[in-house]
Amino acid sequence: GTGTSPGGPALTVCGTTLDFGSVPVGSTKDLICTVTNTGTGTLTGSASTVPPFSIVSGSPFSVPAGQSQTLTLRFTPSSAGAAEQVLSLSSNGGNPTITLRGTGTQGSVLTVSPTTINFGGVRVGRNKDLTLTVQNTGGGTLTRTVCAPAPFSSVSGASFSLAANQSQALTLRFSPPTTDSFNGTVTFSSTPCANPQ
């Protein structure tokens, strides 16, 4: 507990621990902590912490008697694994601390090999197939849909779901409609293709 002088402001916070749970590396998650003045007079103070946690809003604070204000706290893991730091509050109504916890998880990472393929010359009306490899070099599950612009198309592996370190072959086809040169970029979308091939 915190002893305060009679008639003064008193700081009450959301608890002693805030757990952000699991958050993919490179992503963020926000939680709210409520600061309440359970005393009299105006409660003034500020909060501080260190990475991978940060304060988005609510500090410094000035809270009238009987009122509350929210602190928005953010967890931004830069690496996989558990993280723990302290949120320190300094005020004229007490100086409590809150333990901040969270776990960074490695998200999926798409690797494509090779990154460029050349079909060479193909007669109009015929087609040619070439194969590349897609791999999830991260964690979690990687789910993608292959979007290839005409006159290119995906023959096999048009959609795939890969666990960590799993790979599979993807076959692409070139079907020239005219005697022109064609270049295209294959995209790997997390949503259905706008113009599926």
Side-chain angles (χ1 to χ4, degrees):
T2 301
T4 60
S5 59
L11 172 62
T12 301
V13 291
C14 51
T16 58
T17 303
L18 277 179
D19 193 337
F20 289 80
S22 297
V23 179
V25 172
S27 300
T28 63
K29 181 178 181 179
D30 293 351
L31 289 180
I32 299 297
C33 178
T34 301
V35 174
T36 303
N37 182 3
T38 56
T40 59
T42 299
L43 172 71
T44 58
S46 62
S48 63
T49 189
V50 295
F53 302 95
S54 60
I55 300 169
V56 179
S57 63
S59 178
F61 50 84
S62 180
V63 186
Q67 301 296 310
S68 298
Q69 180 174 318
T70 58
L71 287 174
T72 301
L73 308 172
R74 177 168 292 171
F75 174 43
T76 309
S78 58
S79 60
E84 182 175 309
Q85 294 292 347
V86 171
L87 174 72
S88 300
L89 293 103
S90 176
S91 77
N92 61 345
N95 305 297
T97 59
I98 301 172
T99 300
L100 305 178
R101 295 192 180 111
T103 301
T105 58
Q106 180 62 59
S108 58
V109 178
L110 173 63
T111 301
V112 181
S113 178
T115 56
T116 302
I117 54 176
N118 188 347
F119 288 88
V122 179
R123 286 188 179 183
V124 174
R126 297 188 179 183
N127 55 63
K128 182 178 181 180
D129 294 348
L130 290 177
T131 301
L132 52 80
T133 300
V134 290
Q135 182 178 9
N136 178 8
T137 55
T141 300
L142 174 70
T143 301
R144 291 290 186 271
T145 299
V146 182
C147 303
F152 304 96
S153 61
S154 56
V155 179
S156 66
S159 62
F160 54 86
S161 185
L162 303 175
N165 298 316
Q166 189 176 16
S167 63
Q168 78 170 49
L170 168 64
T171 301
L172 299 176
R173 175 168 292 172
F174 174 45
S175 306
T178 61
T179 57
D180 294 317
S181 295
F182 298 90
N183 293 293
T185 300
V186 176
T187 57
F188 299 87
S189 176
S190 57
T191 59
C193 303
N195 297 296
Q197 300 295 324

